[in-house]
């Protein structure tokens, strides 16, 4: 057994989570499948959103999966990198905006 | 991109038996990757039987001006296998008597066969409904003697089917060689100019898309839309249909998969995307493929793996449609490539 937390081959076994909780697993995969269908947003747009979020939540499985998905859809590497930057900007913005809380607290505690 | 064929590099994978050994007993533990045979048997499709013959596919030689990294033919300038006029004569006899409505000339670059034009002229007299030539486009610009090919194709109402891996330069050149994209664009414009894919013209120009890497093609219609938009906007190019084709894990694509450590994942992806509905229409069910030396195969892929038809009739010189229709199609693990997702054939999706 390899001694590491992430194994790329585990992604293939994702579907198996249903085995230990069939109803919830199935509900999740139905929902997941539905979310990524063509809708008001195209499946292509959703793929880029998923890629950006995958980076923000730092999930290596999702990064692999949505890089491949993007390639399959003919999404260019420039588009993919821009999506990652969009995610990164929101993520760093979200960190920074808490700076206001820090400033508030600082001011409140200071004479 | 390598600049020589596997054969010229004396690479072991140029030998069909080594490829088959790898495909069947490769890096997977026994039973880990299901056998294609068992998969289709589960839905009562084994042995796989042909339906009515519709397409006669003739490979007139493995010589090519390109050496694309995914080439399942292992074609290139160093490949000398070329169909002789004598074998072409035998093919013409068959073309005249066959029930097939489509003739599909392929290679290599079929135009590089010295008897190519003669063969097209003769074969076009046989009253075939759909006369396809698979052109790699760049051949039209490769040498002065090919510059008039668009007019030649027009004269015989040839249906041109051309590969263009992507509508952007970088990806196309990476897969097919430096400068291929620009030349392909130029060639497409030349074909448009003589009337191909133009309104009111019945000259048909289709493109073939296959992924530049270890992933499967997505929805053919979505891809066609993207191609049409990009080629029209950027280069004012029109074409009729886009065929999305899955790369089969053989020959130079197999070499790439192994070298890039993608083979295992790719095979799993193919098996995971296995679609029983695609089995019905895989191209071997309505096609016979003839090699440059006249041997008969279920498809171009089996030809490259030297898996001849399982029939008493094995050569074009002894062609007999009734006997051939009675055969079992020869399958192996590479067949997963034809049954993944929407399925894949020389004509794109099948399911
Ligand atoms: S143009 Fe076609 S036949 Fe020639 S090397 Fe490329 S894929 Fe092979
Ligand atoms: S590779 Fe495809 S076309 Fe050829 S025999 Fe297998 S399933 Fe049929």
């Amino acid at each position: 057994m390899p001694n590491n937390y992430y194994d790329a081959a585990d992604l293939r076994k994702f579907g198996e989570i249903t085995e230990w909780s069939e109803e919830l697993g199935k509900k999740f995969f139905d929902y997941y499948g539905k979310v990524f269908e063509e809708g008001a947003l195209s499946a292509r747009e959703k793929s880029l959103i998923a890629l950006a979020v995958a980076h923000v939540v730092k999930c290596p499985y999702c990064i692999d999966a949505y890089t491949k998905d993007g390639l399959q859809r003919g999404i260019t590497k420039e588009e993919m990198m821009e999506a990652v930057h969009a995610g990164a900007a929101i993520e760093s913005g979200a960190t920074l905006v808490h700076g206001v809380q820090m400033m508030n607290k600082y001011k409140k505690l200071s004479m | 991109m390598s600049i020589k064929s596997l054969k010229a590099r004396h690479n072991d994978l140029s030998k069909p038996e080594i490829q088959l050994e790898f495909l069947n007993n490769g890096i997977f533990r026994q039973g880990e990757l299901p056998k294609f045979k068992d998969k289709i048997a589960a839905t009562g499709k084994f042995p796989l039987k042909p339906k009515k013959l519709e397409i006669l596919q003739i490979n007139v030689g493995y010589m090519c001006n390109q050496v694309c990294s995914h080439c399942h033919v292992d074609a290139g300038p160093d490949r000398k296998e070329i169909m002789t006029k004598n074998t072409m004569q035998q093919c013409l006899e068959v073309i005249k008597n066959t029930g097939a409505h489509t003739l599909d000339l392929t290679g290599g670059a079929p135009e590089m066969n010295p008897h190519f034009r003669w063969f097209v002229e003769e074969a076009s007299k046989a009253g075939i409904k759909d006369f396809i030539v698979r052109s790699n486009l760049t051949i039209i610009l490769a040498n002065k003697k090919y510059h008039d090919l668009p007019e030649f194709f027009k004269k015989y109402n040839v249906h041109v089917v051309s590969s263009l891996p992507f509508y952007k330069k970088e990806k196309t050149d990476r897969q097919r060689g430096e400068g291929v994209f620009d030349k392909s664009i130029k060639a497409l414009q030349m074909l448009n100019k003589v009337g191909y894919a133009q309104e009111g013209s019945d000259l048909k120009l289709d493109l073939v898309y296959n992924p530049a890497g270890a992933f499967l093609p997505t929805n053919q219609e979505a891809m066609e839309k993207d191609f049409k938009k990009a080629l029209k906007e950027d280069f004012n190019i029109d074409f009729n249909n886009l065929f999305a084709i899955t790369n089969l894990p053989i020959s130079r694509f197999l070499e790439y998969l192994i070298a890039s450590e993608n083979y295992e994942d790719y095979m799993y992806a193919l098996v995971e995307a296995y679609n029983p509905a695609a089995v019905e229409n895989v191209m071997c069910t309505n096609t016979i493929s003839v090699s440059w030396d006249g041997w008969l195969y279920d498809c171009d892929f089996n030809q490259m793996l030297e898996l001849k038809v399982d029939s008493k009739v094995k050569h074009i010189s002894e062609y007999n449609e009734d006997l051939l229709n009675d055969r079992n199609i020869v399958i192996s693990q590479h067949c997963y490539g034809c049954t993944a997702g929407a399925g894949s054939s020389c004509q794109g999706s099948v399911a």
Side-chain angles (χ1 to χ4, degrees):
Chain A
M1 188 119 192
N3 185 18
N4 50 8
Y5 284 107
Y6 287 116
D7 178 352
D10 281 347
L11 181 54
R12 287 199 291 270
K13 301 186 202 147
F14 188 22
E16 291 171 17
I17 60 152
T18 305
E19 286 170 17
W20 287 11
S21 174
E22 206 180 319
E23 192 195 346
L24 292 179
K26 196 177 163 306
K27 275 194 183 347
F28 166 77
F29 282 114
D30 284 349
Y31 168 73
Y32 191 96
K34 200 84 200 152
V35 164
F36 284 100
E37 280 175 9
E38 294 284 328
L41 291 176
S42 68
R44 193 180 194 279
E45 287 163 337
K46 291 184 200 184
S47 176
L48 279 167
I49 294 172
L51 183 70
V53 175
H55 282 77
V56 174
V57 301
K58 297 184 181 57
C59 173
Y61 300 113
C62 301
I63 292 173
D64 279 4
Y66 282 94
T67 305
K68 194 176 187 180
D69 187 69
L71 272 164
Q72 286 175 340
R73 291 180 191 282
I75 295 175
T76 63
K77 61 182 194 303
E78 290 79 12
E79 290 174 300
M80 289 191 205
M81 190 53 96
E82 273 185 35
V84 171
H85 275 293
I90 292 296
E91 196 183 25
S92 58
T95 304
L96 263 185
V97 76
H98 285 81
V100 177
Q101 184 178 343
M102 175 270 288
M103 289 160 83
N104 289 343
K105 189 71 182 172
Y106 183 97
K107 285 177 195 157
K108 189 175 173 199
L109 293 175
S110 305
M111 273 204 290
Chain B
M1 200 200 67
S2 121
I3 42 160
K4 280 187 177 164
S5 67
L6 291 170
K7 196 168 178 209
R9 282 184 274 136
H10 304 289
N11 186 305
D12 264 358
L13 284 174
S14 67
K15 299 188 192 101
E17 62 280 11
I18 304 252
Q19 292 185 52
L20 283 166
E21 172 61 26
F22 198 88
L23 282 165
N24 285 307
N25 308 310
I27 56 177
F28 296 97
R29 261 181 289 131
Q30 210 46 279
E32 209 181 332
L33 196 78
K35 293 284 178 221
F36 184 74
K37 177 181 168 204
D38 297 335
K39 270 272 190 211
I40 63 170
T43 45
K45 294 276 164 16
F46 183 81
L48 193 57
K49 294 297 269 184
K51 296 183 283 200
K52 199 167 147 309
L53 179 75
E54 296 182 62
I55 304 170
L56 193 65
Q57 186 169 62
I58 301 182
N59 191 318
V60 296
Y62 302 158
M63 191 183 278
C64 190
N65 60 318
Q66 291 183 183
V67 198
C68 307
S69 52
H70 70 298
C71 184
H72 77 270
V73 181
D74 193 27
D78 56 60
R79 296 298 301 261
K80 306 295 180 218
E81 297 89 337
I82 280 289
M83 186 178 274
T84 61
K85 211 167 183 177
N86 187 32
T87 307
M88 285 181 169
Q89 288 279 16
Q90 293 172 339
C91 290
L92 286 170
E93 280 313 304
V94 170
I95 293 165
K96 281 176 203 148
N97 301 315
T98 176
H101 55 64
T102 298
L103 182 62
D104 189 346
L105 293 195
T106 183
E111 301 93 331
M112 288 178 88
N113 183 308
H115 314 298
F116 170 74
R117 293 191 193 220
W118 170 82
F119 188 52
V120 170
E121 284 164 29
E122 291 303 311
S124 71
K125 290 180 198 155
I128 286 277
K129 265 217 279 219
D130 192 8
F131 193 153
I132 296 174
V133 170
R134 309 235 161 215
S135 177
N136 70 16
L137 293 171
T138 61
I139 190 71
I140 297 176
L141 295 146
N143 185 306
K144 240 190 169 162
K145 66 178 175 187
Y146 299 122
H147 288 0
D148 68 330
L149 275 170
E151 282 92 11
F152 175 79
F153 290 149
K154 178 186 178 168
K155 183 168 172 200
Y156 293 98
N157 197 11
V158 165
H159 172 179
V160 179
V161 178
S162 297
S163 351
L164 187 70
F166 206 57
Y167 48 80
K168 296 245 187 259
K169 184 179 164 70
E170 187 212 324
K171 262 193 202 174
T172 301
D173 283 1
R174 209 156 12 101
Q175 187 183 42
R176 294 177 88 85
E178 202 48 45
V180 164
F181 184 74
D182 290 342
K183 283 189 201 135
S184 304
I185 291 298
K186 183 101 204 291
L188 287 170
Q189 287 166 337
M190 287 164 77
L191 287 161
N192 277 169
K193 205 166 161 210
V194 300
Y196 273 92
Q198 299 304 297
E199 243 187 81
S201 151
D202 56 0
L203 296 168
K204 270 177 79 179
L205 169 63
D206 293 331
L207 295 185
V208 174
Y209 157 79
N210 46 340
F215 53 94
L216 310 185
T218 187
N219 182 291
Q220 181 169 282
E221 280 163 42
M223 214 32 132
E224 182 179 287
K225 257 199 219 151
D226 292 348
F227 263 73
K228 283 206 162 147
K229 189 167 176 284
L231 289 179
K232 187 75 190 167
E233 281 176 8
D234 297 347
F235 309 104
N236 196 28
I237 285 170
D238 297 296
F239 66 94
N240 296 104
N241 297 301
L242 182 84
F243 302 151
I245 296 188
T246 304
N247 290 314
L248 261 66
I250 65 170
S251 198
R252 291 212 289 268
F253 188 64
L254 180 60
E255 182 198 29
Y256 155 77
L257 287 176
I258 296 169
S260 60
E261 296 184 358
N262 277 309
Y263 175 71
E264 194 180 351
D265 269 351
Y266 194 75
M267 290 308 284
Y268 274 122
L270 289 181
V271 173
E272 228 164 75
Y274 171 76
N275 176 1
V279 180
E280 292 288 324
N281 299 315
V282 277
M283 69 179 167
C284 48
T285 58
N286 68 353
T287 306
I288 287 282
S289 152
V290 188
S291 66
W292 65 277
D293 47 358
W295 295 102
L296 304 175
Y297 300 86
D298 299 296
C299 68
D300 209 42
F301 304 114
N302 281 5
Q303 184 183 139
M304 300 314 145
L305 292 170
E306 288 178 14
L307 298 167
K308 292 195 178 91
V309 281
D310 178 12
S311 166
K312 260 194 237 147
V313 176
K314 285 203 192 305
H315 195 267
I316 191 82
S317 55
E318 53 197 24
Y319 189 87
N320 178 317
E321 207 156 301
D322 291 338
L323 278 178
L324 279 167
N325 276 345
D326 204 34
R327 74 197 196 276
N328 293 337
I329 290 166
V330 182
I331 52 160
S332 182
Q333 295 300 78
H334 64 298
C335 297
Y336 273 119
C338 291
T339 51
S344 183
S345 75
C346 283
Q347 314 272 34
S349 298
V350 294

